[in-house]
Structures are given as C-alpha cells and as structure tokens.
Amino acid sequence: MPNPEATSRPTPVLYRNGSVYTAADPFATAMLVDGDTVAWVGSEQAASSIADSSMEVIDLHGALVAPGFVDSHMHLTETGIALESLQLGSVASARALLDAVAAAGGDGPVLGHGWDETTWADSTLPSAEELERAADGRPVYLSRVDVHSALVSTSLARSADLRGKDGYDGGARVTRAAHEAARLATRQLPQESLKRHQERALMEAAANGYVAVAEMGAPHIGGADDLKLAAAWNGGADGGAQFPEVLPYWGELVSSEEQARVLVGQFEGRIRGLAGDLNIDGSLGSRTAALRAGYSDAAQERGALYLSVDQAAAHLAACSLAGIQGGFHVIGDAGLDAALEALDLAAREVGEQRVRAAGHRFEHVEMADAAAVAKLAHYSVTVSAQPAFDAAWGGPGGLYERRVGERSRSMNPFAAFYSAGVPVCFGSDSPVTPLRPWASVRACVEHHNSAERISARAAFLGHTRAGWRAARHANPMAGQLVPGAPASFAVWEVEELMVQVADGRVQSWSTDPRARTPLLPALDTGSDPVCLQTVKNGAELFASPALRS
C-alpha cells in the first residue's frame, strides 16, 4: 500500500543553467528546492549528475535566482484601492484633475491617488465645490502622493463631519485629524471589498518578486479589522492560492506593560509589534513633518508633533518591558529629536538593555544628523527607510529642496546609518511609491548625495535579509539561498550581472574569482530586471508564461 505522505510530497524542483545569488558559492548556476527548503546549490556540472526523473527541471536560460524581496513598510488596502482608483500622478493642473474626476465611472465615492501640486506650473488646487460638481454629487477623496493630505468634496466633508476638526478650514484640502476622518469615511467597506483590495496588492507584490510585506496598520489608517484581515492571508487564502507573507504591525499608543500585552492579545499574538505608523509627525510634502526651523517655502510653518515626548517614552518603556517591538513614523528633524529624547527617558525608566533588546524600529527617519545617527546605533533601533523617496523628491530642484532648502542635502543618510552600525531595512511605503524593488535598490546606489550612496549588495541585503531580521523572524536563515534555508526567492530575467559599488573611483564590475562576490543585475541599463517567478517556502506565488517556455 502506498504511503500517503510520499504521494503528497511536493516534486523537487531543479533550477539550472542560470545564476544563483548565494553566499555558499558565488558562481553557482543551479539550485535544488525540496519542499519548502533549499536543498542544494552548485555548478551546472553537478546539476547534471543529480538531475533525475523525479524532479521538475527548469532551464533558467541565464536568468538570476535571488532571495525574494521583503517590503518593510506598506499598506495593503490602501495599495489595492490606489491600484483600482484614479491614477493622478501624471495630472499637471487643477483642471486636469477635475477632468479625471468627471470621467470616473462607477457608483459610490470617487477615489484617486498620487497628485502632487509641486509639479504643476500653477499649484492652485480645485475647490471642494468644484470637486462636487465634477463628480456630479458623488463624494470625492483624492489622496496626495504622500497620503498625508487629501482633497475632498463638500458632500464628503459633510458626511465625514469634518467641521471643527484640526486640519479642515472649509476648503478642499484636509490634513491631520480632518484627513484621518475623511479617509476613514471612505474605508467603511464590506469585508469582501477589503479582501479584494488586499488580494490585489498582494498579487502586485508577488508579481514584482516580493515574498513578504510588512503591513503598517493603525487606527487612523484602516482600523483593527483591516489589520486582522491582512494577517489572515498567511498560510494561504482559504487553503488555496498562496501570497507573500504578511508581517503585521499595529501603530497604537500604550502607556504600560499590561496595556501593551493586552493590545497584542487582541490580535491573537499575530502582530509583530506596536510600531509602524504610530505617527510622531507627518510628511514634508504636506508640510506636517515636525521641523526645528520653518519650511523654506513657508517660513511660518514647522509642521506638527502628534505625540509628546512623555507619551512616546511611555510607549517605548511599555513595549520594552513586554519584549515587544515599539516604534514610530518619524520624518522631520524635530520629530526625530522627540523620538530620541523618548528613548533616553524610556532607558532611564526600564534600563538601556531592555530598550536595546526589544529591537525597536523607526519608520522613514529622513532627517538625521550625526548625533541622531549615533544615538540610533546606541539603542539598536532599526531604521526602516524608503529609498524611492530620494529618487522621487531629492536632488537639485526637487520637492525636498523646495521644502527644506539646504537641509535636503543631508536627508536619507543611508551610508551614515551603515557606517555607524544602525540596522537598516528598506520598503516602498506603497502606495506612496510603487512596488518596484530594483528601482529602490538603484535609488540607494544613485543617491542624490554621493556621500550617502551604498553598494548594490548592501542595498539588496537591506531589501531582503534585513527585512526578515527587522521583523524578528524566527528563522535566522530567512533571506538567503543556502542549503537548509527557506526556499523563498524570485527568478529574474536580466541583461547583465555585475558587482556595483557606491564609490565611482572603484571599477563598478568584476568577475575576478578572488573577489568571491555574488553578482547582481546591472542597474544602469535603462530597464529593470523582469520577474519570471516568485516562490515563498517552496510555494509558487507568481509565474510568468516565459519561465517554462
């Protein structure tokens, strides 16, 4: 009688005739996957000797197999909604924006994302009444590219009861508490709709080589039910299709160890920590990031602190005592000052060792001077950064220069973080920037400030293995392709493989065997690698028809 376990065992898969990014052998061309584990990596000659009829053999035709990407900061429901709503990134005027609203089909609210008035010749925004007329009375919510402010119609302002809320002056643009209320008013959706949006986002992630995403939930974003739904994708949807692993975080303030434990318990222990989008401040684009000095283009404004130092310190102390990751969304230099002062206060209350051991994480951390970098390293705080922010808004004439002038030159100090020993991981903050991991790696290599550039290898590790470590994943081998490691990887069609360094004085590519450095795709070819397959723990999440053709 046949053994049921033997008949249900997955077929081993042998990948050959390509390149494998692995520390086990920098010149590996083949890899064997057995179940959910990498069983072997090695040469083409060795692959010929182990191949047999029990295996599926995939000819890579020169493609690259590399550890799958981890997006260390994203929003599933918001991403799904943005992908299915009005795409406003190319809109260049208020008139064009109103035309897009007028052309929107369907029923219910008109939703859109991505407008950026700083790219318009005339930055004048449409009025709430104009939005109302363009939508023929349908409620309108259009999030700015940074998702820290939005444009709303009069009917939405009325139904969301915005009158009297901080950040609402009767016009179309809403920030702070008014923005939170407006967004939540458009997110009161049936569970099936929420599930559809999240599935759309997870499919987009899988098609771009992501095997895991850190979901940053918070009461002001989607509520607890939204995060619980996101966490439920782990293990497959209803036992069927597989999706990238969701690493859930909940951004809600606590003030005691007991409160922290109770809150985690409400999520049945499925969240990674009380961190993420617990906002200390807002964004530079919406001028809500807290600054030490006024904005260069609005000197009377300095942004806002959403939490006091004492509140932030109590949160970090409580999480440290409970052994839970805590942390905040922090962008401005005054916001980071508050977060660092909170670390000092928490350490005085519960001890430095407890604070360091908890593995706290700060999101974004765009404006950090040398003293701040040193303190982050001292407390072993992980920085979860978004390289695409620099690519989109850094450099001469960019949004950051317009908002903060000379201060923009030292923003997003990736090299300084690495040099000081600050743990760093990278994400997209999708839907703020798209799920395009190689573009994010390239943004690290081509940082607008040459002193803050890092090598492609460092950037790739920050987008892969470091993401698992930042989430305190139980398997220390996650994020690498060596025998015994989880079989979580992506296959990429590439034009050229090379070693790329941050210093232009050094030759940018090498095939010298003595270097023993695994090769990565060339990122200066004008096009990004194309994802052919994404696999998580041996399960196929995405496959292009070209993979097996």
Side-chain angles (χ1 to χ4, degrees), residues 208-288:
N208 285 280
Y210 290 95
V211 294
V213 297
E215 166 68 4
M216 297 298 168
H220 66 278
I221 296 177
D225 288 343
D226 186 73
L227 187 65
K228 289 176 181 177
L229 185 63
W233 291 100
N234 291 335
D238 302 322
Q242 295 285 324
F243 297 94
E245 183 167 348
V246 178
L247 307 169
Y249 284 88
W250 182 240
E252 184 172 348
L253 196 67
V254 295
S255 58
S256 69
E257 177 184 0
E258 180 183 5
Q259 190 179 5
R261 294 188 184 279
V262 168
L263 188 54
V264 171
Q266 291 175 6
F267 291 92
E268 300 175 348
R270 300 171 79 175
I271 60 173
R272 294 275 164 174
L274 300 176
D277 275 338
L278 175 53
N279 288 43
I280 273 188
D281 67 351
S283 75
L284 291 170
S286 293
R287 294 199 196 94
T288 51

Side-chain angles (χ1 to χ4, degrees), residues 116-201:
D116 181 357
E117 81 289 2
T118 67
T119 66
W120 302 355
D122 178 357
S123 61
T124 303
L125 298 171
S127 69
E129 292 75 18
E130 287 175 319
L131 289 169
E132 188 78 12
R133 288 194 297 271
D136 197 22
R138 294 164 62 191
V140 178
Y141 170 88
L142 310 175
S143 55
R144 193 181 182 280
V145 64
D146 57 7
V147 201
H148 279 264
S149 60
L151 299 175
V152 301
S153 62
T154 52
S155 59
L156 180 59
R158 188 166 51 250
S159 63
D161 193 21
L162 301 188
R163 182 176 297 179
K165 285 187 167 57
D166 179 40
Y168 179 64
D169 61 5
R173 187 166 188 168
V174 292
T175 61
R176 301 189 295 276
H179 175 235
E180 293 173 9
R183 175 166 56 184
L184 289 174
T186 66
R187 302 304 189 254
Q188 304 306 309
L189 302 172
Q191 188 176 59
E192 283 307 306
S193 295
L194 293 173
K195 188 173 182 180
R196 186 186 78 249
H197 291 311
Q198 291 189 1
E199 182 175 7
R200 176 72 176 83

Side-chain angles (χ1 to χ4, degrees), residues 18-22 24-31 40-44 64-65:
S19 181
V20 182
Y21 187 93
T22 172
D25 179 354
F27 303 105
T29 61
M31 179 176 79
W40 169 86
V41 292
S43 67
E44 190 62 26
L64 171 69
V65 181

Side-chain angles (χ1 to χ4, degrees), residues 454-513:
I454 59 175
S455 69
R457 179 177 181 272
F460 181 71
L461 292 175
H463 283 83
T464 54
R465 193 174 184 185
W468 293 112
R469 289 183 171 181
R472 306 179 79 184
H473 195 268
N475 191 332
M477 300 180 75
Q480 53 184 325
L481 297 180
V482 295
S488 296
F489 57 90
V491 178
W492 301 94
E493 182 181 333
V494 296
E495 295 183 28
E496 181 183 0
L497 295 173
M498 62 197 304
V499 174
Q500 294 151 101
V501 297
D503 191 338
R505 296 170 299 177
V506 181
Q507 190 174 6
S508 65
W509 66 277
S510 170
T511 55
D512 187 338

Side-chain angles (χ1 to χ4, degrees), residues 58 206-207 491 531-535 540-548:
I58 294 180
V491 178
C531 187
L532 299 177
Q533 185 189 41
T534 306
V535 175
E540 187 172 79
L541 310 184
F542 166 81
S544 164
L547 176 72
R548 295 179 172 90

Side-chain angles (χ1 to χ4, degrees), residues 366-461:
E366 293 199 80
M367 301 179 72
D369 58 22
V373 171
K375 186 165 288 190
L376 289 166
H378 176 75
Y379 286 115
S380 300
V381 174
T382 292
V383 168
S384 171
Q386 290 68 45
F389 286 8
D390 178 73
W393 302 311
L399 168 68
Y400 288 163
E401 184 177 76
R402 292 196 294 276
R403 286 290 189 263
V404 297
E406 286 294 317
R407 290 168 288 179
S408 67
R409 299 184 187 280
S410 59
M411 287 179 60
N412 295 297
F414 302 147
F417 288 145
Y418 274 83
S419 295
V422 176
V424 180
C425 60
F426 295 118
S428 65
D429 198 12
S430 179
V432 177
T433 66
L435 292 160
R436 299 292 183 269
W438 290 112
S440 188
V441 172
R442 184 170 61 252
C444 294
V445 178
E446 299 177 355
H447 195 293
H448 281 98
N449 180 353
S450 60
E452 296 300 344
R453 292 173 181 169
I454 59 175
S455 69
R457 179 177 181 272
F460 181 71
L461 292 175

